[in-house]
């Protein structure tokens, strides 16, 4: 279960509730500071990526780096980035939260895999089937399954180095020999993807902290109300 606090809130003493509220408050300030810094890094990296992309257009020409080079509807695109979540435990708060992570795939595949297996279409079909299935597996099993699939793909590629390869790197849509500025721009946007995942993780932790704070606050108010009734 995501976002629970142990031991049960009903069993916490008044002092423990107050300590937990203080801990969450300090943690929340730290998370907000992390989120601001991460978003600033995301803005800087994205701005640098667009600047380098404009520099590439200046070098190669306006029509060389534009929407005209993007794949059409009949073209099958293979996703090179997979996202998954895993459980992360906050020791100071005893709270389970989700951690968003990305896994980059190798854009180079063999020609045999491209022709016979049609890996691009198979990947899309597998994703659709998985979305339709019931969520009966834990996040850890999903994470391990993704890693096993990627390891198998890498092993198959390493065992046949003499075969012809096909490069699915999106940078090849624009030119066969991309300039350094275009490669740097691509790296900037890759960093932006990872920073976006970090922002999602921090935001998820903030939401859980807010939820826990409200519940603990109710427990504190309950203790205070009981104390006032006893005094009366």
């Amino acid at each position: 279960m995501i976002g629970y606090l142990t031991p049960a809130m009903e069993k916490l003493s008044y002092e423990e509730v107050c300590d937990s509220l203080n801990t969450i408050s300090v943690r929340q300030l730290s998370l907000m500071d992390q989120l601001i810094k991460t978003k600033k890094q995301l803005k800087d990296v994205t701005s640098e990526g667009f600047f380098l992309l404009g520099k590439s257009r200046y070098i190669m020409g306006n029509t060389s780096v534009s929407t005209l080079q993007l794949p059409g509807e009949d073209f099958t695109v293979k996703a090179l980035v997979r996202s998954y979540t895993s459980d992360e435990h906050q020791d100071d708060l005893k709270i389970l939260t989700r951690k968003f992570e990305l896994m980059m795939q190798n854009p180079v595949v063999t020609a045999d895999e491209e022709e016979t297996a049609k890996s691009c279409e198979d990947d899309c079909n597998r994703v659709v089937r998985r979305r339709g299935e019931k969520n009966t597996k834990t996040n850890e099993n999903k994470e391990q399954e993704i890693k096993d699939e990627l390891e198998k793909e890498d092993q198959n590629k390493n065992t046949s180095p003499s075969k012809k390869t096909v490069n699915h790197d999106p940078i090849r849509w624009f030119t066969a020999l991309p300039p350094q500025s275009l490669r740097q721009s691509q790296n900037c946007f890759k960093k932006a993807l990872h920073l976006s995942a970090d922002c999602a993780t921090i935001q998820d932790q903030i939401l859980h902290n807010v939820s826990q704070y409200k519940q603990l606050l109710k427990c504190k108010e309950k203790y205070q109300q009981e104390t006032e009734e006893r005094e009366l």
Side-chain angles (χ1 to χ4, degrees), residues 21-208:
L21 285 171
N22 293 334
T23 303
I24 290 178
S25 299
V26 174
R27 175 68 174 170
Q28 194 77 338
L29 291 174
S30 176
L31 288 173
M32 292 172 65
D33 182 64
Q34 292 180 27
L35 183 60
I36 293 173
K37 291 180 179 179
T38 305
K39 285 189 173 182
K40 184 179 182 304
Q41 292 178 4
L42 177 60
K43 175 181 175 297
D44 294 340
V45 169
T46 305
S47 298
E48 183 180 0
F50 281 117
F51 173 79
L52 292 170
L53 190 63
K55 184 177 180 180
S56 300
R57 294 187 65 183
Y58 177 78
I59 296 173
M60 302 169 58
N62 294 336
T63 58
S64 297
V65 183
S66 65
T67 55
L68 298 176
Q69 277 66 47
L70 297 179
E73 296 180 356
D74 298 333
F75 189 85
T76 303
V77 179
K78 179 180 179 180
L80 300 179
V81 181
R82 293 186 182 183
S83 62
Y84 63 95
T85 59
S86 59
D87 292 345
E88 187 176 45
H89 191 270
Q90 299 183 34
D91 295 331
D92 52 347
L93 300 178
K94 299 179 181 179
I95 296 175
L96 282 177
T97 57
R98 290 178 298 175
K99 183 178 181 181
F100 296 84
E101 297 182 279
L102 301 178
M103 187 174 294
M104 300 289 184
Q105 297 187 66
N106 191 346
V108 180
V109 297
T110 62
D112 292 339
E113 291 175 346
E114 180 72 13
E115 295 176 359
T116 60
K118 295 181 180 180
S119 58
C120 295
E121 296 181 1
D122 292 342
D123 287 342
C124 294
N125 292 333
R126 282 200 297 270
V127 170
V128 173
R129 286 198 299 270
R130 286 173 183 171
R131 287 177 179 173
E133 293 175 354
K134 292 183 178 179
N135 188 17
T136 57
K137 296 183 179 180
T138 62
N139 289 327
E140 293 180 358
N141 292 335
K142 290 181 180 180
E143 177 183 351
Q144 188 62 36
E145 183 179 342
I146 292 174
K147 291 181 179 179
D148 292 340
E149 289 181 3
L150 293 177
E151 288 178 359
K152 286 182 181 180
E153 291 178 2
D154 293 338
Q155 289 176 359
N156 293 334
K157 291 166 188 174
N158 293 333
T159 54
S160 56
S162 60
K163 294 183 179 180
K164 294 182 179 179
T165 58
V166 179
N167 195 337
H168 287 285
D169 195 340
I171 202 172
R172 303 288 178 177
W173 297 343
F174 306 101
T175 177
L177 297 174
Q180 187 68 19
S181 58
L182 190 59
R183 293 185 182 276
Q184 292 174 349
S185 176
Q186 184 186 41
N187 291 332
C188 287
F189 289 118
K190 286 182 179 179
K191 292 179 181 178
L193 286 175
H194 288 285
L195 289 172
S196 298
D198 293 339
C199 287
T201 300
I202 298 172
Q203 287 175 339
D204 187 73
Q205 293 177 359
I206 290 176
L207 291 176
H208 281 302

